[in-house]
């Protein structure tokens, strides 16, 4: 018991239940009789308290200062210390937000694709140039044919950039039925939501913390890192884009897949392969590490 109010209540309790005199009870509790007999002369603030409670219920994100401005507009202008005291006693403190708002997309269970362009998966991979500058790679995979549809490298890949790349892919291959991605800020932006509504493409967001719900693109990104990114020193962003284009061409048209019966992704897709793979040029060891292979 440290506050006068608590000592006052303890003295009243002793007098009521144990029968000592007021003097004896005050001596036992350690409080002055003057404190026990004190009666507050504070004016009644019932209307102010009630109105503040109503405003706090209507505007839950307002603190006591902004509530004070609203009260002042209605003719109630209490001292800011009194306003804070009532606010704390009522307890409508602003609750800290837990995490950001996420786009829901479609939460229907995914079915295995039975043909090309039924389901695409998207993800990002990061790497760095020899100068230390970081860049990111947008990878788009067809879950049925195991094709790398796109590998876009850039230092800034916004939602609008992703939407433009998907539009370009649709112009070359046709519209997919479903697109699968995680809950990254680029993929939950208003640009992506607007694009999916305008193109009438279902966008499926995986559950947070469940990367295996897009296991196809996660597996392919591991191969991209192991076979390409970790084996090449990128001197510039243009060099990285050229190397990625060459690796994508080789992955889709040359590399056999065990899950596809030893066939390539292009054979499963039944598409004609346009162009030829870029030729490999060895750079002298005095310019790069000995044995490093770059593309020109």
């Amino acid at each position: 018991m440290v506050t006068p109010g608590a000592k006052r209540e303890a003295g009243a309790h002793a007098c009521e239940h144990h029968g000592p005199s007021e003097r004896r009870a005050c001596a036992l509790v350690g409080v002055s009789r003057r404190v026990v007999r004190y009666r507050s002369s504070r004016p009644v603030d019932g209307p102010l308290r009630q109105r503040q409670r109503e405003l706090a219920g209507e505007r839950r994100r307002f603190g006591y200062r902004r509530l004070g401005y609203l009260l002042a507009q209605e003719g109630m202008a209490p001292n800011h210390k009194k306003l804070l005291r009532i606010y704390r006693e009522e307890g409508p403190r602003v609750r800290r937000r837990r995490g950001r708002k996420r786009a829901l997309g479609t939460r229907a269970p995914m079915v295995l694709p039975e043909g090309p362009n039924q389901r695409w998966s998207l993800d990002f991979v990061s790497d760095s140039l020899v100068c230390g500058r970081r860049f990111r790679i947008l990878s788009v995979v067809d879950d049925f044919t195991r094709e790398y549809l796109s590998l876009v490298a850039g230092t800034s890949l916004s939602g609008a950039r992703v939407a433009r790349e998907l539009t370009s892919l649709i112009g070359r291959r046709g519209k997919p039925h479903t697109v699968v991605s995680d809950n990254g800020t680029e993929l939950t932006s208003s640009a992506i939501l607007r694009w999916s509504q305008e193109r009438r493409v279902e966008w499926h967001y995986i559950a947070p913390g469940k990367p295996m719900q897009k296991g196809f693109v996660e597996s392919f990104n591991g191969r991209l890192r192991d076979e390409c990114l970790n084996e090449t020193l990128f001197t510039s962003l243009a060099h990285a884009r050229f190397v990625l284009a060459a690796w994508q061409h080789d992955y889709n048209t040359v590399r056999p897949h065990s899950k596809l019966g030893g066939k390539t992704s292009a054979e499963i897709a039944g598409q004609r392969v346009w162009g030829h793979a870029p030729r490999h040029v060895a750079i002298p060891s005095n310019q790069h590490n000995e044995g490093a292979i770059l593309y020109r």
Side-chain angles (χ1 to χ4, degrees), residues 99-144:
R100 60 184 177 85
K101 184 177 180 181
R102 299 180 184 274
L104 294 179
T106 174
R107 289 298 188 187
M110 290 189 301
V111 297
L112 291 177
E114 299 179 354
N117 280 355
Q118 288 191 4
R119 191 174 73 194
W120 294 355
S121 296
L122 276 68
D123 200 8
F124 288 97
V125 186
S126 63
D127 202 25
S128 61
L129 305 177
V130 292
C131 62
R133 187 181 184 185
R134 303 290 298 180
F135 67 94
R136 304 178 72 196
I137 303 169
L138 169 66
S139 56
V140 185
V141 175
D142 189 309
D143 291 351
F144 180 80

Side-chain angles (χ1 to χ4, degrees), residues 221-233:
N221 286 344
R223 297 171 188 172
L224 171 64
R225 172 133 353 241
D226 182 60
E227 300 177 10
C228 180
L229 302 183
N230 292 346
E231 296 295 323
T232 311
L233 296 176

Side-chain angles (χ1 to χ4, degrees), residues 99-259:
R100 60 184 177 85
K101 184 177 180 181
R102 299 180 184 274
L104 294 179
T106 174
R107 289 298 188 187
M110 290 189 301
V111 297
L112 291 177
E114 299 179 354
N117 280 355
Q118 288 191 4
R119 191 174 73 194
W120 294 355
S121 296
L122 276 68
D123 200 8
F124 288 97
V125 186
S126 63
D127 202 25
S128 61
L129 305 177
V130 292
C131 62
R133 187 181 184 185
R134 303 290 298 180
F135 67 94
R136 304 178 72 196
I137 303 169
L138 169 66
S139 56
V140 185
V141 175
D142 189 309
D143 291 351
F144 180 80
T145 63
R146 271 70 167 177
E147 287 180 280
Y148 254 126
L149 305 182
S150 179
L151 286 176
V152 182
T155 55
S156 177
L157 297 177
S158 62
R161 175 73 183 279
V162 175
R164 291 198 303 269
E165 181 62 28
L166 292 177
T167 302
S168 176
L169 278 178
I170 289 178
R172 299 196 302 267
R173 295 180 54 92
K175 184 174 67 174
H177 179 268
T178 306
V179 177
V180 182
S181 73
D182 55 19
N183 294 271
T185 55
E186 300 88 352
L187 303 177
T188 57
S189 63
S190 58
I192 291 296
L193 298 178
R194 189 184 313 111
W195 181 89
S196 64
Q197 293 174 359
E198 293 175 352
R199 298 287 176 172
R200 299 184 182 276
V201 175
E202 293 186 7
W203 199 288
H204 183 95
Y205 291 105
I206 66 172
K210 302 292 184 180
M212 286 312 299
Q213 292 184 4
K214 55 181 180 68
F216 287 100
V217 70
E218 291 286 349
S219 175
F220 292 147
N221 286 344
R223 297 171 188 172
L224 171 64
R225 172 133 353 241
D226 182 60
E227 300 177 10
C228 180
L229 302 183
N230 292 346
E231 296 295 323
T232 311
L233 296 176
F234 299 112
T235 58
S236 64
L237 194 58
H239 174 223
R241 289 168 177 166
F242 194 87
V243 171
L244 291 172
W247 190 87
Q248 178 184 354
H249 186 278
D250 179 81
Y251 187 91
N252 291 336
T253 61
V254 178
R255 173 176 173 155
H257 295 268
S258 59
K259 293 295 184 180

